[in-house]
Amino acid sequence: MGKRRAGREALRSLSKKQKKHLREFGEEHPFYDKVFACCFIGCYCCCCLHSCFSFQSEDSDKSSAESDSEAEVEQVSGYHKLLATLKTSPESESEEEEDESESEEAEESEAEEVDSEGSQEAGGGEGGEEDKNDVPEEEEGTTDTAEQMLSQEQADGTDTSGDPRHGVMEEFTDVKHESEFSLETNFMEEESGDYNADRKESNPFKQHMDKELEEKEIEKMSTLPKTSSQSQWPRLGQLIFSSTLEKHKAFKADKEVDVKQLHLHKPLESTWPKVNKPFLSAVDKPSDSSFTPLQRELFCIMNSYRDLFYPERNALTNGEEIRHAYCLHALNHVLKANAQVLSNNAKRRDRKPGTDTDDHRDQGLTRPKVLMIVPFRECALRIVHILISLLEVNDKKKIDVSNKKRFKGEFGSDPEEKPPNLKRPEDYEAVFAGNIDDHFRIGVAILQKSMRLYAPFYSSDIIIASPLGIRTVIGAEGEKKRDFDFLSSIEILIIDQADIYLMQNWEHVLHLMKHINLLPLDSHGVDFSRVRMLNLNNWCKYYRQTLLFSALQDPQINSVFNKHCFNYAGQVAVRNVPLTGSISHVVVQLPHVFRRLEADSVTSVIDARFQFFIDKVLPEYRDAIMSHTLIYVPSYFDYVRLRNYFKKEDLNFTHICEYTKKAAVCRARRFFLKGEKQFLLFTERFHFYKRYTIKGIRNLIFYELPTYSHFYSEICNMLKATDSGVDATWTCTVLYSKYDAQKLAAVVGIDRTAQMLQSKKNVHLFVTGEN
């Protein structure tokens, strides 16, 4: 699937003359001699090229990290491309014809659309995130270019993090710099400072990692409930502190933070103020602090090694602030941990023969310490740029970054790829900026003044991955090739933009949480005399810090934080309640009827909602007068159930979901606008990935409250898209239960939610718009 998509993307970039020449001669015209044909090269061609050009592998091993990708581009000659096109020209012809027929069908349907703006939106989405986001959980992986395949053949080692199920060849990892970044064979440099400087009693890293828990305490955390207390902070608002071991002491945010008092490792003390300067200029009251008010309070919690859940991340306002803060914390942790190992290496080297000591336990069972889960490649690109900036003291002292050019090519994006006439909300533009591929993983090794990208997982300090990317490595039970040992000693887990994973596949996140901090199945060459006792006792999960950032509060996200986080230091959750709700942003004059349904349990609410809908709500809308009815369905499973019921009852309806093809979307929108179809089933994930304006709506039914509260006002405001002078006939019906309290509060506010859930009445009416 990934190979075919890559092939189609390459074909779309060709002109008609180029396509004609490719069909007739089986190769691209020499005038357009670009390295595009590499994406068609299969396993057979790679083997042929490897045997024909085996002499190149000896030279490639000697090349430097920075010039890797340059040498690889030179290796892809015209002869290589000729072999590729000769092998795959029939296939490319058929795929091209298939693609052209699809586009013609889409163009015909768009031409028939009554409203030109709507058709432009539907057609404009083609060049955006269509291919990547239609089936996010079934993505089969990215395809390697020819130069990547050749370099894989020439590499000396194998990739421990590779996933052979998702491509002919294993993905690239850097095996040339293994010895340079090995913690076991390197020693502390004098310029990097002595690790003893970090050995202060107040050093949070030492306090957290060196604390020895007893079995009684472990048993307490496993059985006893947590005690909690509340606190009000100036910027974060209401915080809930919870812990099992001890009652919380007064923990307050410092009004001003001196960087020197944070026990930051060199060179972070000097680089952080410079890297964070762009955010400080936006603060209303500038001060001598190198943190914004939000960063100061967040980092205060992070640096105490407590778990943190912050559900108010906003891609437009504070997203980058938060990213910089957790990158500083993660890098500080890695530098301190590695400095401890390197310092102890020197002590072991200088000790007298025959004097064994148990004081040098400074490692986990595997090397990876930090796992960062982010939704898109663009997020990984920004994280790596921040890490590099934090390590560079000044412009003259650049750090050595291996495979940097390859990384920019694979994780960067081309600004020209974005369609020119797309009109989307600002929050959409912020979330889907740059490369939005959601299947990736990369290991990062950091040693003193150098960084190694594409490090094998077992030689990495930081792993940056998407939920899908990490899931394909972990595998499923019963599969032969699966690996999750590299997750055994994760000390900091960062899950950023957790709300987006609800739109991708939340099962991947749950799968990760079930496989993190388990005892490894293999030793992986570890020196057990250096392994901490907490790792040998399989207590690593009680020391792991989890940082969870989301744009909303959701029961599924809360469940992960409450049931899969066991940090002995305790947890901090931000719990601010919405006062107004998104209904205040509805500008059209519209009556909102909220209908409460009764359910005995969370598991029964799904069937109860369906039965309530078909018995009480749908009969009111079956009349032909109630045409142009859009039914908003957040869950795909509910959507399938409703679609099957509508088909069974032979209702006049059409439907749009995240898997619907472009041509079918255009037809459905046209039928609904003209009134040829009475009902339109519309999924939340389609709206999340596309944000099309659906025109012709007169009646709205929210089968369930939206996951994102601002989607409620967006959908309601779509009614004004068609000005037909029939405002009085507009209706909006919303179904909710007592288990939707958080979503309901985000829409109508906390005070109204309390009244609606406690009231004896099951129907509540709100009217928005002009007086």
Side-chain angles (χ1 to χ4, degrees):
M1 185 175 179
K3 289 176 64 179
R4 291 189 63 190
R5 180 175 295 122
R8 290 184 180 183
E9 290 295 330
L11 282 169
R12 288 195 187 104
S13 64
L14 299 180
S15 65
K16 291 183 178 179
K17 290 183 179 180
Q18 289 173 287
K19 290 179 181 178
K20 182 179 179 181
H21 188 90
L22 181 64
R23 281 196 296 267
E24 292 178 355
F25 300 100
E27 63 176 0
E28 190 181 7
H29 195 280
F31 180 77
Y32 307 100
D33 194 14
K34 299 177 182 177
V35 190
F36 87 97
C38 53
C39 51
F40 293 108
I41 300 180
C43 180
Y44 173 77
C45 287
C46 281
C47 295
C48 293
L49 294 176
H50 179 61
S51 60
C52 295
F53 297 91
S54 59
F55 65 90
Q56 294 179 355
S57 61
E58 298 175 1
D59 297 333
S60 64
D61 290 341
K62 301 176 184 178
S63 61
S64 62
E66 193 63 31
S67 62
D68 277 346
S69 52
E70 294 178 4
E72 290 160 3
V73 172
E74 291 175 0
Q75 291 170 2
V76 185
S77 63
Y79 179 74
H80 292 211
K81 291 188 289 183
L82 180 59
L83 282 177
T85 52
L86 284 176
K87 176 185 178 295
T88 58
S89 56
E91 181 185 3
S92 61
E93 256 187 85
S94 60
E95 288 180 0
E96 179 187 353
E97 291 169 2
E98 179 184 345
D99 185 73
E100 287 177 352
S101 63
E102 284 184 9
S103 62
E104 286 172 4
E105 185 182 1
E107 288 169 2
E108 288 173 3
S109 61
E110 288 172 7
E112 294 171 8
E113 178 111 9
V114 175
D115 186 72
S116 60
E117 184 182 349
S119 64
Q120 286 174 2
E121 286 178 353
E126 178 181 350
E129 67 286 344
E130 172 74 32
D131 288 335
K132 294 186 177 68
N133 293 320
D134 265 0
V135 195
E137 63 266 58
E138 296 181 4
E139 195 75 48
E140 285 191 305
T142 55
T143 55
D144 290 326
T145 58
E147 58 264 34
Q148 292 169 355
M149 292 181 175
L150 288 169
S151 63
Q152 289 161 8
E153 287 283 352
Q154 296 163 358
D156 293 331
T158 57
D159 172 24
T160 54
S161 65
D163 185 20
R165 296 185 304 277
H166 289 265
V168 179
M169 305 298 297
E170 294 184 358
E171 64 192 46
F172 171 79
T173 52
D174 179 13
V175 295
K176 300 175 185 176
H177 302 82
E178 189 70 29
S179 60
E180 297 175 26
F181 287 84
S182 173
L183 286 179
E184 291 77 13
T185 57
N186 284 279
F187 303 95
M188 178 69 72
E189 292 182 5
E190 293 182 3
E191 295 181 8
S192 300
D194 192 355
Y195 174 71
N196 292 327
D198 286 330
R199 291 197 169 195
K200 299 177 182 178
E201 294 299 325
S202 58
N203 181 10
F205 172 80
K206 291 290 295 178
Q207 285 181 340
H208 184 73
M209 299 307 298
D210 290 353
K211 180 178 174 64
E212 296 183 4
L213 295 175
E214 299 177 358
E215 290 190 10
K216 293 181 180 179
E217 294 174 316
I218 298 295
E219 188 176 348
K220 268 187 180 181
M221 288 188 285
S222 304
T223 56
L224 297 180
K226 298 174 183 176
T227 58
S228 60
S229 61
Q230 296 185 9
S231 179
Q232 191 75 19
W233 282 24
R235 179 62 180 82
L236 292 179
Q238 186 177 11
L239 304 184
I240 306 295
F241 294 85
S242 58
S243 177
T244 306
L245 294 185
E246 58 183 14
K247 291 185 178 179
H248 290 282
K249 301 174 184 177
F251 184 50
K252 296 182 179 180
D254 300 322
K255 293 183 179 179
E256 295 297 333
V257 177
D258 185 2
V259 180
K260 296 180 181 179
Q261 297 177 354
L262 294 175
H263 304 280
L264 296 179
H265 196 275
K266 291 184 179 180
L268 301 181
E269 283 184 9
S270 58
T271 58
W272 170 250
K274 179 186 67 174
V275 173
N276 201 48
K277 190 176 180 180
F279 303 106
L280 299 176
S281 59
V283 181
D284 295 334
K285 296 181 179 179
S287 62
D288 295 334
S289 174
S290 56
F291 291 83
T292 65
L294 174 63
Q295 288 175 331
R296 182 172 64 249
E297 296 185 9
L298 286 176
F299 192 79
C300 184
I301 298 172
M302 293 179 195
N303 210 30
S304 68
Y305 279 88
R306 291 173 170 88
D307 290 343
L308 171 64
F309 175 36
Y310 182 70
E312 298 177 13
R313 186 196 190 281
N314 189 305
L316 276 173
T317 57
N318 59 18
E320 290 306 308
E321 278 185 68
I322 295 170
R323 200 194 310 275
H324 277 69
Y326 71 65
C327 283
L328 172 66
H329 177 60
L331 186 57
N332 186 41
H333 179 87
V334 168
L335 292 176
K336 286 185 177 182
N338 287 354
Q340 184 181 21
V341 174
L342 298 179
S343 178
N344 288 339
N345 285 350
K347 292 178 181 179
R348 288 167 62 91
R349 177 190 61 183
D350 300 336
R351 71 185 177 185
K352 296 180 182 179
T355 57
D356 293 332
T357 177
D358 205 36
D359 296 337
H360 299 148
R361 293 192 176 274
D362 50 20
Q363 302 177 19
L365 289 165
T366 51
R367 180 170 171 177
K369 307 168 187 66
V370 178
L371 174 62
M372 295 182 177
I373 300 297
V374 290
F376 305 120
R377 284 181 182 259
E378 174 69 17
C379 306
L381 179 72
R382 295 184 184 185
I383 287 173
V384 171
H385 284 171
I386 294 171
L387 297 180
I388 293 173
S389 301
L390 288 171
L391 289 172
E392 291 181 343
V393 179
N394 52 53
D395 294 335
K396 295 180 180 178
K397 293 185 178 180
K398 295 284 186 181
I399 66 167
D400 181 24
V401 183
S402 304
N403 308 300
K404 187 176 180 180
K405 192 168 184 178
R406 172 188 287 273
F407 175 74
K408 286 183 178 180
E410 293 184 0
F411 284 76
S413 60
D414 185 0
E416 297 180 358
E417 291 179 357
K418 184 180 177 181
N421 297 324
L422 277 182
K423 293 181 181 180
R424 297 290 182 267
E426 290 182 347
D427 64 299
Y428 178 91
E429 298 289 351
V431 169
F432 292 101
N435 190 334
I436 55 171
D437 177 29
D438 63 351
H439 187 188
F440 64 91
R441 51 188 175 268
I442 185 171
V444 181
I446 298 171
L447 198 65
Q448 299 176 133
K449 297 178 182 178
S450 302
M451 178 183 290
R452 177 190 183 196
L453 301 175
Y454 296 97
F457 278 4
Y458 291 97
S459 301
S460 302
D461 296 303
I462 301 173
I463 295 173
I464 308 171
S466 65
L468 177 60
I470 208 76
R471 170 64 188 264
T472 51
V473 178
I474 295 174
E477 190 174 351
E479 293 183 3
K480 291 183 179 179
K481 293 186 178 180
R482 57 187 308 222
D483 185 14
F484 48 85
D485 286 356
F486 59 89
L487 299 172
S488 62
S489 299
I490 295 294
E491 295 161 3
I492 297 179
L493 170 63
I494 300 172
I495 302 178
D496 196 11
Q497 296 176 270
D499 52 289
I500 295 182
Y501 311 139
L502 296 172
M503 299 293 112
Q504 292 179 345
N505 194 335
W506 188 250
E507 287 296 324
H508 296 336
V509 178
L510 298 178
H511 196 71
L512 164 65
M513 300 308 294
K514 292 175 183 176
H515 290 84
I516 196 170
N517 295 133
L518 301 178
L519 282 175
L521 303 177
D522 192 9
S523 64
H524 300 284
V526 68
D527 181 0
F528 285 98
S529 66
R530 301 285 297 272
V531 177
R532 296 189 187 96
M533 292 306 299
L534 67 94
N535 296 95
L536 295 176
N537 291 331
N538 196 24
W539 291 350
C540 192
K541 68 178 181 179
Y542 299 108
Y543 288 79
R544 186 191 79 232
Q545 180 187 30
T546 304
L547 306 177
L548 191 56
F549 302 100
S550 170
L552 51 89
Q553 296 200 37
D554 187 88
Q556 296 181 85
I557 301 176
N558 293 338
S559 175
V560 165
F561 189 70
N562 295 328
K563 295 182 179 179
H564 294 278
C565 300
F566 310 94
N567 192 347
Y568 79 85
Q571 297 179 325
V572 182
V574 179
R575 300 293 187 193
N576 294 318
V577 292
L579 298 177
T580 55
S582 64
I583 195 172
S584 60
H585 298 124
V586 178
V587 297
V588 297
Q589 190 169 357
L590 180 67
H592 305 256
V593 180
F594 286 79
R595 306 184 65 167
R596 189 177 70 210
L597 57 97
E598 303 297 333
D600 298 329
S601 63
V602 180
T603 54
S604 64
V605 73
I606 299 174
D607 293 329
R609 179 180 286 109
F610 177 74
Q611 206 62 40
F612 184 86
F613 176 78
I614 62 175
D615 292 342
K616 303 286 182 67
V617 179
L618 190 59
E620 299 174 4
Y621 288 86
R622 280 178 176 261
D623 197 326
I625 301 174
M626 304 295 286
S627 61
H628 296 273
T629 300
L630 183 140
I631 304 174
Y632 182 91
V633 190
S635 169
Y636 180 75
F637 300 105
D638 288 333
Y639 160 81
V640 172
R641 190 175 189 179
L642 287 173
R643 185 190 64 191
N644 294 342
Y645 177 80
F646 276 41
K647 286 182 178 179
K648 180 182 175 183
E649 295 294 314
D650 198 23
L651 294 176
N652 183 24
F653 81 104
T654 185
H655 51 89
I656 298 175
C657 73
E658 54 271 25
Y659 304 116
T660 308
K661 293 183 179 181
K662 292 185 290 292
V665 170
C666 293
R667 286 195 297 270
R669 293 174 68 190
R670 186 182 72 250
F671 291 155
F672 184 71
L673 176 62
K674 290 183 176 182
E676 297 176 16
K677 299 291 183 180
Q678 183 177 355
F679 296 98
L680 171 62
L681 293 178
F682 188 77
T683 64
E684 182 174 70
R685 285 177 64 193
F686 178 84
H687 183 66
F688 174 79
Y689 282 114
K690 297 300 177 187
R691 296 290 187 92
Y692 290 169
T693 298
I694 305 299
K695 301 191 176 184
I697 305 173
R698 296 180 189 173
N699 305 290
L700 260 178
I701 300 177
F702 285 91
Y703 186 78
E704 186 180 355
L705 285 160
T707 304
Y708 290 90
S709 60
H710 64 276
F711 283 3
Y712 183 86
S713 56
E714 279 186 19
I715 299 294
C716 289
N717 289 332
M718 285 183 186
L719 276 74
K720 68 176 182 179
T722 307
D723 188 10
S724 55
V726 288
D727 300 16
T729 63
W730 289 349
T731 65
C732 177
T733 302
V734 186
L735 308 186
Y736 74 96
S737 70
K738 62 182 178 181
Y739 301 105
D740 299 323
Q742 285 181 328
K743 294 180 180 179
L744 186 61
V747 172
V748 301
I750 188 65
D751 295 332
R752 289 171 176 170
T753 298
Q755 295 175 4
M756 293 168 68
L757 293 178
Q758 296 171 4
S759 173
K760 295 181 180 179
K761 297 180 180 179
N762 293 331
V763 180
H764 300 269
L765 174 66
F766 300 93
V767 179
T768 58
E770 300 176 359
N771 295 329

